[in-house]
Amino acid sequence: MAFAALTARYLAWPATGLPARVDAIVLLAGPGSRLSVATRLAGEHRAPVLLVSQGQHGYGGPCPRPVAGVTTICFDPVPGDTRGEAEYAGHLARLYGWRSVVLVTSPEQATRAGIVMRRCFAGPVYEVTAPVPAGQVPYEIAYGWAALVKALVLNTAC
């Protein structure tokens, strides 16, 4: 019962939110309709920068078309995972003086991505999720647990 409750809270329906404006929208690589959520937020001018990971499991396309009034930066993280994405976003945050970011991810990655990003970035980190296809949910939940344990136990630095 406790395992099911933890899964629901941290992997299926994590806490999410976003203030009216942040300094950057960070699109993390992975499944689901993340790109459409990130470009919608950029189109609403929720941030002046859209940072798009084209890493190991990128959204599957080229750098998206620019959004008027928003700087789009596409990158390949090294390593090609959430940690590499957080390291790169943290580097740009220091370089450009960002004070807050929103991560666009899927529900099973949101908690872990927030933890990892907070290791690399001192400002507020928000998460917004995009759904994954229903058929992928069991795999993503299993992967999400393994990756969360790895982030909490093995990869504890930025």
Side-chain angles (χ1 to χ4, degrees):
M1 185 62 136
F3 182 74
L6 290 172
T7 298
R9 167 62 179 90
Y10 294 108
L11 299 176
W13 300 285
T16 61
L18 174 63
R21 194 150 165 82
V22 293
D23 291 314
I25 300 162
V26 181
L27 172 61
L28 301 179
S33 56
R34 300 172 188 214
L35 179 62
S36 63
V37 171
T39 55
R40 177 182 51 80
L41 293 173
E44 293 171 358
H45 297 283
R46 302 293 290 267
V49 177
L50 172 58
L51 183 61
V52 179
S53 173
Q54 295 185 287
Q56 178 178 340
H57 301 289
Y59 77 91
C63 194
R65 296 174 58 118
V67 175
V70 176
T71 300
T72 300
I73 302 169
C74 294
F75 71 104
D76 289 311
V78 177
D81 58 15
T82 305
R83 186 178 56 126
E85 292 168 330
E87 288 173 355
Y88 189 77
H91 166 73
L92 289 185
R94 288 185 298 280
L95 185 66
Y96 295 114
W98 298 343
R99 295 176 311 279
S100 61
V101 299
V102 62
L103 306 177
V104 178
T105 184
S106 53
E108 73 289 337
Q109 186 189 28
T111 298
R112 172 174 47 95
I115 290 168
V116 174
M117 187 66 200
R118 286 176 183 91
R119 293 176 181 157
C120 300
F121 176 68
V125 176
Y126 305 94
E127 294 90 24
V128 171
T129 62
V132 296
Q136 289 182 310
V137 170
Y139 168 81
E140 294 299 329
I141 294 291
Y143 180 86
W145 268 118
L148 180 59
V149 169
K150 180 180 172 185
L152 292 172
V153 176
L154 298 176
N155 293 337
T156 58
C158 175

